[in-house]
Amino acid sequence: MKKMAFFTTLMIAMLAFVTSAHAVGSEYTPVPRGEDTVTVMISSIGQSNGALTLQGDRIEWYEGEEADRKFVEHETDIGDMTHAPDGYYIVDDQQKLETFEIDPNVQVLMQLYDRDGTYKGMDIKWNEEVTLGKFLDIYHNNGLLDVSTFPFHLTIKDGKVVKIVQQYIP
């Protein structure tokens, strides 16, 4: 839990200076849960046996009232707090890396990343589609913003990741 608390604190601090007024608007919609969707913290992306793969630690991502319930269930030293800070909560009870093969035609949707090497260029664009090549560039460019600190929702079909969606963290 301390690892996730660290990531949460780090993300809040990093995003405080890049969040703009339009970013908190009504355009945000949670990624629907489905049997073919898992949420992970990506550890690495690389080649394995001729295929592009990512290694990730599965997490449980909760928002709204469900986040509040999970927060109260899992946290022991919260005083009189009854709500998850910022409206979301992450559970990572089993820190274990899994390997997922990425389909070459994967759809990638990003919310926030370093577009041009400036803080001004890190504005939020909801579900901005980028190519797989662009995603790999974004993932490996951690100079101003390290996107590996964000959760990602993976849609898996026939054993391959066919969709990657970056989860925005307020």
Side-chain angles (χ1 to χ4, degrees):
M1 281 318 305
K2 289 182 181 184
K3 180 180 175 184
M4 292 317 307
F6 170 75
F7 281 125
T8 301
T9 303
L10 178 64
M11 289 308 304
I12 290 168
M14 285 175 38
L15 294 176
F17 63 89
V18 296
T19 303
S20 60
H22 73 280
V24 189
S26 62
E27 296 180 58
Y28 172 77
T29 55
V31 172
R33 286 193 181 150
E35 290 182 16
D36 57 353
T37 302
V38 297
T39 305
V40 301
M41 297 299 295
I42 298 174
S43 174
S44 65
I45 299 175
Q47 294 286 329
S48 177
N49 297 324
L52 184 62
T53 61
L54 69 79
Q55 281 197 315
D57 176 22
R58 281 191 202 219
I59 63 169
E60 297 174 58
W61 172 265
Y62 299 100
E63 295 183 56
E65 291 179 9
E66 191 176 29
D68 295 339
R69 281 193 305 277
K70 293 296 181 178
F71 175 73
V72 171
E73 285 175 19
H74 284 82
E75 297 299 325
T76 57
D77 189 19
I78 57 174
D80 59 356
M81 291 179 66
T82 59
H83 294 83
D86 299 313
Y88 72 92
Y89 189 68
I90 297 171
V91 175
D92 187 4
D93 287 334
Q94 189 179 50
Q95 296 177 6
K96 177 181 143 190
L97 293 178
E98 295 179 60
T99 301
F100 301 90
E101 184 176 341
I102 300 173
D103 187 290
N105 298 311
V106 66
Q107 178 185 28
V108 181
L109 303 176
M110 298 294 292
Q111 319 309 324
L112 176 68
Y113 64 93
D114 176 2
R115 288 177 180 79
D116 62 7
T118 68
Y119 290 113
K120 187 176 181 177
M122 291 192 297
D123 58 333
I124 297 168
K125 294 183 182 175
W126 299 115
N127 295 317
E128 178 182 352
E129 190 163 357
V130 298
T131 65
L132 176 57
K134 176 78 171 176
F135 173 67
L136 296 175
D137 290 343
I138 292 166
Y139 184 81
H140 291 104
N141 174 15
N142 60 7
L144 294 180
L145 180 66
D146 185 354
V147 299
S148 72
T149 61
F150 288 82
F152 286 86
H153 304 281
L154 309 178
T155 302
I156 301 168
K157 300 256 190 216
D158 299 323
K160 294 183 181 180
V161 177
V162 296
K163 186 175 184 180
I164 301 172
V165 181
Q166 178 191 33
Q167 174 60 56
Y168 173 73
I169 298 179

